[in-house]
Amino acid sequence: MEAHQAATAEYYRGCMRLFVEAVKGDPKRHADLLAWAKRYARKHQVLARSTDYSFLTLFYEALKFPLFAEILAVDHDGTPKTSRDAFNLALFSQFLAKFEFIYSIDVLNPKWLEKNLRHFFVQYLHFLYQGGLEEFEDYEQPIPSGCVSVMTIHQSKGLEFPITVVGSLNRTPRQGWTALDALLESKYFNRPVFEPIERTKFFDFWREYYVAFSRPQNLLVLTGPKPARGKHDLGKTFDPHVADLPDWTSRAFAYRKLHLAAVKPTSLKNAYAFTSDILLYENCPLQYMAYKYLGFAPHRQAATMFGSLVHQTIEDIHKAHLRGETFDAAKIEQWFSLNYASLSRAMKSYLDPNRRAVALAHVTRYVERSHGTFTNIVAAEYDVSIPTESFILHGVIDLLRGEGDTVEIVDFKTDKKPDVNNLEDMVRSENYRRQLEVYSHIVEEKFGKKVSKMHLYYTRVEDETPYVTWDYDRDRVAGTLQSFSRTVAKIENHQFSNAKVRKCARLCDGCDMRFYCGCK
């Protein structure tokens, strides 16, 4: 154990040397970074009260300095070789976020700061480092151009390569069944046994390697450790079957005559959601790049938690009604409390009692206003998706209600109802309308009912109608889908500049990338 810790400590020292060399290599360029680090170091040495930031906050603030900002400023052309450092920087943000989640760190507390740092370096990062920390892997692009793909046999299913190299051939079939499996098979199978249970380990073993051996288009290479003398040793299971195969150093292997096929491009369509993809990109391409493309871990989740809490409780109410269950105020509060406990654990985020009371008021106010219309509920949290030529658009409809052959779509919002005299509010409202138009189109295509109305329901509203309502205009759908296609094309072409985005408090104040954005 001490040897492992020493190796990790040496790795840390190597990282520090790289950092010092980079700063000393261009002291003028990195003077601000050095001053920033010294200022926080002095502050934390004599910290007397809790800060209003955590480790993850400091990480995002550091992105404004050239040493790190230049990593994000690369041309993200879609190849891992170009973007790998940026992806790995995002991966580190995920490690920090998970560490703060595990140790319940919201701010830096002087009482626990030293212990938290010790846990971070001596235990958490040490464990990740010793476990073989994996770098970024693009699961949507399993065969990137100019790279060698290393994957498990399971991951390779359905893919083809000109050359496939298979290792781990020293394995042997292992029994995967228990006495209970044999008992259940003998007593409860209602059809003849397809494979004798005592032979399944051999069948499963060869099925797995059949997958591996059927991946190459032109050349299959079997590898194993090479002893001091003699041929490569593939293991006792495979050695009897490969005696006639040429060694790669043999003249019998005429590799110059080998014709290699081109790597087949993947034809998988990416899926996009309106709110978390289309709207996020249209609001700010840089935010999309950070959170969706690179995968940076968002730091602030309180607003998200509030909305999720209201939505989930309203969903419970709708689904209870669809099941034919009755409920009262006490039952609603029970669902609300259970949802809050679940979200708090999942997000490691909390709402103070006043905010929780406000969220519950959103729910109860909705029930008081709408209970009479519950008899018209057709579906709640209804999944919808539509394929286009280049992508799949998917989403979830909060509520479908109606009678006969027509339905209405309702989408719940917990923010402020838009002001008709505010341009920014009207733009946001129009974006929601586009979303509902596409959802309505999908419902008519797949649900077999006509959509008569589309509603936004603002749970915050107290003294006026909570609805913003539109008639469904089928003629607008084609134009809306075309606008989505243009947005998706920009996303897939990695056009992430936010130079034309109008900065505002709503968009920027809670964004973790505001430090990097400001330095640009």
Side-chain angles (χ1 to χ4, degrees), residues 52 57 60 284 287 291 299-301 303 424 501-515 517-518:
D52 59 353
T57 315
Y60 279 115
C284 180
Q287 281 188 2
Y291 297 126
H299 188 214
R300 303 184 180 193
Q301 302 191 84
E424 187 176 307
V501 174
R502 188 172 72 86
K503 310 299 188 295
C504 63
R506 179 188 64 81
L507 187 65
C508 303
D509 283 358
C511 177
D512 299 309
M513 302 305 293
R514 63 190 182 280
F515 303 105
C517 186

Side-chain angles (χ1 to χ4, degrees), residues 2 9-10 67 86 148 231 238 324 327 401 456 473 483 488 511:
E2 291 182 0
E10 180 53 37
L67 186 63
V148 174
K231 290 183 64 178
F238 286 96
F327 51 85
R401 70 186 188 196
L456 296 178
D473 184 351
S483 73
V488 168
C511 177

Side-chain angles (χ1 to χ4, degrees), residues 86-107:
F87 279 112
N88 285 331
L89 198 60
L91 199 59
F92 188 76
S93 78
Q94 296 174 26
F95 296 152
L96 267 177
K98 288 175 182 176
F99 171 75
E100 293 187 343
F101 178 89
I102 292 169
Y103 287 92
S104 301
I105 298 172
D106 298 312
V107 296

Side-chain angles (χ1 to χ4, degrees), residues 161-164 217-220 255 257-263:
F161 306 87
I163 301 174
T164 300
Q217 297 168 270
N218 307 113
L219 177 64
L220 171 64
Y255 67 89
K257 296 181 180 180
L258 189 66
H259 172 73
L260 297 179
V263 176

Side-chain angles (χ1 to χ4, degrees), residues 193-461:
V193 175
F194 181 69
E195 295 176 350
I197 195 167
E198 67 276 5
R199 297 285 296 165
T200 54
K201 68 176 183 179
F202 300 104
F203 295 139
D204 289 343
F205 180 85
W206 288 112
R207 271 192 288 260
E208 180 181 9
Y209 279 98
Y210 172 79
V211 171
F213 297 162
S214 57
R215 296 309 95 205
Q217 297 168 270
N218 307 113
L219 177 64
L220 171 64
V221 181
L222 306 180
T223 65
K226 186 173 184 179
R229 284 179 280 179
K231 290 183 64 178
H232 289 276
D233 182 11
L234 300 185
K236 64 180 181 180
T237 304
F238 286 96
D239 270 342
H241 303 285
V242 299
D244 297 331
L245 296 182
D247 189 86
W248 73 278
T249 59
S250 169
R251 290 185 178 180
F253 176 45
Y255 67 89
R256 294 184 184 277
K257 296 181 180 180
L258 189 66
H259 172 73
L260 297 179
V263 176
K264 295 180 179 179
T266 56
S267 58
L268 297 176
K269 291 182 180 180
N270 292 325
Y272 297 92
F274 177 81
T275 303
S276 59
D277 289 298
I278 304 294
L279 191 56
L280 176 62
Y281 180 89
E282 291 180 349
N283 281 338
C284 180
L286 180 64
Q287 281 188 2
Y288 187 93
M289 179 195 77
Y291 297 126
K292 298 292 288 186
Y293 175 66
L294 294 176
F296 277 88
H299 188 214
R300 303 184 180 193
Q301 302 191 84
T304 302
M305 183 179 178
F306 184 98
S308 298
L309 181 58
V310 173
H311 270 79
Q312 287 190 16
T313 308
I314 290 177
E315 176 189 350
D316 289 335
I317 293 168
H318 290 155
K319 291 191 172 180
H321 176 80
L322 289 171
R323 292 193 300 267
E325 298 176 8
T326 59
F327 51 85
D328 54 16
K331 188 64 176 178
I332 292 173
E333 288 190 30
Q334 181 185 3
W335 288 330
F336 182 87
S337 297
L338 290 172
N339 287 332
Y340 176 71
S342 175
L343 288 168
S344 293
R345 286 193 299 269
M347 295 183 172
K348 213 67 176 182
S349 183
Y350 310 94
L351 297 175
D352 64 66
N354 290 334
R355 290 287 288 165
R356 291 203 300 272
V358 170
L360 181 58
H362 280 223
V363 176
T364 55
R365 188 162 50 241
Y366 165 70
V367 173
E368 291 168 0
R369 284 172 167 166
S370 307
H371 195 276
T373 66
F374 283 0
T375 54
N376 297 333
I377 294 178
V378 177
E381 294 298 301
Y382 181 63
D383 289 314
V384 294
S385 63
I386 182 171
T388 70
E389 291 185 2
S390 55
F391 67 97
I392 298 171
L393 183 67
H394 70 89
V396 178
I397 298 174
D398 292 341
L399 180 65
L400 276 175
R401 70 186 188 196
E403 294 178 323
D405 294 331
T406 64
V407 292
E408 299 177 357
I409 288 180
V410 183
D411 196 61
F412 293 95
K413 303 297 179 186
T414 56
D415 50 353
K416 183 172 66 72
K417 186 179 178 181
D419 181 354
V420 295
N421 297 314
N422 184 297
L423 178 60
E424 187 176 307
D425 281 2
M426 288 299 96
V427 170
R428 191 162 71 252
S429 184
E430 178 62 22
N431 284 333
Y432 290 142
R433 178 178 181 176
R434 293 161 59 216
Q435 173 190 11
L436 295 180
E437 284 171 346
V438 174
Y439 287 178
S440 299
H441 172 69
I442 299 172
V443 167
E444 289 200 340
E445 290 289 318
K446 296 188 175 182
F447 208 71
K449 290 179 178 287
K450 293 183 178 180
V451 176
S452 57
K453 299 285 184 181
M454 308 179 301
H455 307 280
L456 296 178
Y457 187 103
Y458 287 87
T459 59
R460 177 186 294 194
V461 173

